Amino acid sequence: MTSSQLDLYLAKLGLHYPSECNLAFVEQLIKAHIARFSFSSINAMQDKRLSLEPDVVFNRVVEKEQGGYCFEHNKIVMLALQHLGFDVSPLLGRVLLNGKWDNPRTHRVTLLKYLCNEYLIDVGFGSKTPRTLIPIDHSVDIHDETNGYYVERSTRRAVLTLTSPKQMPLYDVEFAETFESDCDVAHFHCHQHPESLFVNHLVLSRMAQKERHTLNNLLYVYRNEETAETREVLIKDAVQLRAIIKEIFLLNIPESEVNWVYEKAALNMSDEH
C-alpha cells in the first residue's frame, strides 16, 4: 500500500495517521473498517475474476467502494498495517459454521505479532466478525462490545468459538506458513467454484457500533445489540435493493449489476419456497 493509498484509506475510516502504532490503534482500525466497508458477494456472484493484486483490490474495495469478502478486506488491513510498520502476515482457516471440521481452508485472517504476543485480526467474517483483536498466545475468553468468544489454542492451531449470545464454532486457523499464493488458490475457489456460497447467493453485512446490518438474498435484517431491536424487510424490487445497497451498506454498484443480482437473488428466494 502506498502512502497516498493509506491516506485515502484512513480518511474514509475517519481516522488520523497514528502518532503511536500500538494495539489501541489496531482496535480502532478494526471497528472503523467493518463499519465503513461492507462484506459483499456482489462481485463474486457475477463471475468476475477478482484480482488480489494490491492496487487492484484497493481500487475495488476502497476507491470504488464495491465491497468484498475476507480475501479482500483482510488483505487491505494487512497492507495498511504493514505500511505502518506492524509485523503482520496472512493465515488461512477452516470455516466451521456447517459443523464440519474437514472443510477446506477458505477463510483469510491476519496474524499480528506485537511485543512478543500474537493476535488474529479479522475484518472479513461477515455478520459474525469479531469487533476486536483476537489474542492467541493461549486459550482465553474474549469479549467485544456485545459478544463473547472463546479461543482454544493448541500447538498447531487456534479455534474461535462464539459463546454469547449463543454458542457456535466459527473457524479453525492453522499456523502453517502461508503465502499470498496460498490465499490466491483459496480465493479462486471461493469466487469461481460453481457451488460456492458467494457465487450463488447475495450476502451483505455491515457492522456499525452495536448495530448489525445483514442481507441474505432479499431478506434485510437490522439488529441493535444494545436495545435488542430487530427489523426485517423483504425486498420487493431492484429499486428497493439499490437503495439499501447504497444507503445501508454504503456500496457503489452500477444499476445494471444491481438489476442482475436482484434477479438472481429473487430466483434463490423462489427456490427456497
Side-chain angles (χ1 to χ4, degrees):
M1 184 176 290
T2 66
S3 295
S4 61
Q5 287 174 333
L6 180 63
D7 289 344
L8 175 62
Y9 176 57
L10 293 178
K12 289 200 173 190
L13 295 184
L15 299 178
H16 298 292
Y17 198 95
S19 57
E20 183 178 355
C21 291
N22 52 26
L23 295 184
F25 172 77
V26 179
E27 291 275 10
Q28 283 186 309
L29 185 73
I30 291 169
K31 292 177 175 62
H33 184 103
I34 61 179
R36 178 62 182 83
F37 295 111
S38 287
F39 185 99
S40 170
S41 67
I42 290 175
N43 280 330
M45 289 180 72
Q46 299 177 79
D47 195 29
K48 295 181 178 181
R49 292 295 179 92
L50 303 174
S51 170
L52 292 181
E53 287 299 311
D55 288 347
V56 179
V57 72
F58 185 87
N59 174 260
R60 188 166 64 242
V61 176
V62 178
E63 294 177 336
K64 291 185 175 180
E65 299 177 347
Q66 293 185 348
Y69 66 154
C70 65
F71 290 98
E72 297 159 298
H73 287 294
N74 282 321
K75 181 160 188 174
I76 286 170
V77 166
M78 188 192 79
L79 292 172
L81 293 176
Q82 275 182 339
H83 189 96
L84 291 167
F86 287 95
D87 183 357
V88 286
S89 56
L91 287 176
L92 288 170
R94 304 178 192 274
V95 177
L96 304 176
L97 296 176
N98 64 0
K100 296 181 179 180
W101 289 78
D102 61 348
N103 291 322
R105 287 188 285 268
T106 57
H107 181 54
R108 176 178 179 146
V109 297
T110 299
L111 174 66
L112 167 66
K113 297 180 180 180
Y114 184 83
L115 298 181
C116 300
N117 298 116
E118 293 184 338
Y119 305 84
L120 296 182
I121 299 169
D122 189 359
V123 296
F125 202 60
S127 63
K128 296 178 176 60
T129 300
R131 293 185 176 96
T132 186
L133 279 164
I134 304 167
I136 57 169
D137 289 320
H138 50 78
S139 297
V140 63
D141 288 297
I142 61 173
H143 295 83
D144 63 14
E145 296 164 344
T146 56
N147 292 349
Y149 303 88
Y150 179 66
V151 178
E152 182 181 357
R153 170 69 194 250
S154 64
T155 303
R156 295 178 52 196
R157 57 173 37 89
V159 178
L160 181 67
T161 298
L162 178 69
T163 56
S164 64
K166 61 182 178 180
Q167 184 148 337
M168 177 187 305
L170 300 181
Y171 50 78
D172 170 10
V173 176
E174 297 184 11
F175 299 129
E177 186 173 14
T178 303
F179 300 98
E180 286 297 333
S181 56
D182 298 312
C183 296
D184 289 342
V185 171
H187 165 61
F188 183 84
H189 171 88
C190 288
H191 84 286
Q192 290 292 312
H193 194 284
E195 296 182 6
S196 168
L197 170 70
F198 304 124
V199 169
N200 290 289
H201 294 274
L202 178 58
V203 182
L204 301 179
S205 68
R206 187 172 70 84
M207 298 168 56
Q209 186 177 17
K210 298 183 180 179
E211 294 181 325
R212 293 179 191 251
H213 304 270
T214 62
L215 181 66
N216 289 294
N217 288 315
L218 298 180
L219 181 62
Y220 165 68
V221 179
Y222 165 82
R223 294 185 179 89
N224 186 308
E225 294 167 310
E226 186 172 43
T227 66
E229 176 191 359
T230 300
R231 295 197 308 270
E232 294 187 357
V233 176
L234 185 61
I235 296 171
K236 301 297 185 182
D237 54 41
V239 173
Q240 186 182 15
L241 179 60
R242 284 198 300 273
I244 286 178
I245 286 174
K246 184 173 182 61
E247 296 167 13
I248 302 297
F249 294 99
L250 311 180
L251 297 175
N252 290 320
I253 308 296
E255 181 177 340
S256 60
E257 294 187 13
V258 176
N259 292 342
W260 187 94
V261 166
Y262 172 80
E263 294 298 331
K264 174 68 173 177
L267 182 61
N268 289 337
M269 297 290 284
S270 64
D271 289 344
E272 291 173 4
H273 295 87

